[in-house]
Amino acid sequence: MSPTPAITISSLDYDRLAALLESCEHDHPVASRLEAELERADVVEPQAMPASVVTMNTSVRIRLGDGQEKLLTLVYPKDADSEQGRISVLAPIGAALLGLSVGQSMQWPTPSGHTELSVLEITYQPEAAGEFHR
């Protein structure tokens, strides 16, 4: 397994995700992994977020370990819609995406084992679009 890449999270996303985790059931299968990601992240103000980082509500093109490419938007659980490519941050791949930069890859446990995902391109990031309080 490859080393865990450094991740960056905005302070706004951090605060909202910490509140979300407080409301999760203690045995949620992804919540503890997401919490660990928040604890190891570099936290920056939204205005200082590099445009190459996956933040909440970012649309991103990824490649999975099997070579399949997908366009996904990372969202809060209430906004998730798999048919629209809107993946929850509490889904295994959603939690893995948070804070990654273009060019980074990460191994992540899934219900069927582990998968590697690579961030190929960010097609929309709220912070880069000047939307700091979405």
Side-chain angles (χ1 to χ4, degrees), residues 26-110:
H26 73 282
D27 60 346
H28 188 284
V30 179
S32 62
R33 299 281 314 206
L34 179 58
E35 186 172 24
E37 291 296 277
L38 291 180
E39 289 175 5
R40 73 179 193 86
D42 291 326
V43 179
V44 301
E45 291 304 311
Q47 294 84 349
M49 179 60 66
S52 61
V53 174
V54 178
T55 64
M56 293 305 299
N57 300 301
T58 291
S59 295
V60 59
R61 189 168 56 89
I62 65 166
R63 180 180 301 121
L64 299 174
D66 63 5
Q68 181 181 18
E69 289 188 15
K70 293 186 176 211
L71 181 61
L72 301 172
T73 300
L74 184 62
V75 298
Y76 293 96
K78 67 180 178 53
D79 299 319
D81 182 342
S82 60
E83 290 183 17
Q84 298 290 319
R86 299 172 65 81
I87 189 165
S88 170
V89 71
L90 286 177
I93 289 176
L97 279 173
L98 182 68
L100 288 179
S101 296
V102 172
Q104 287 184 315
S105 296
M106 185 168 186
Q107 292 274 337
W108 195 263
T110 64

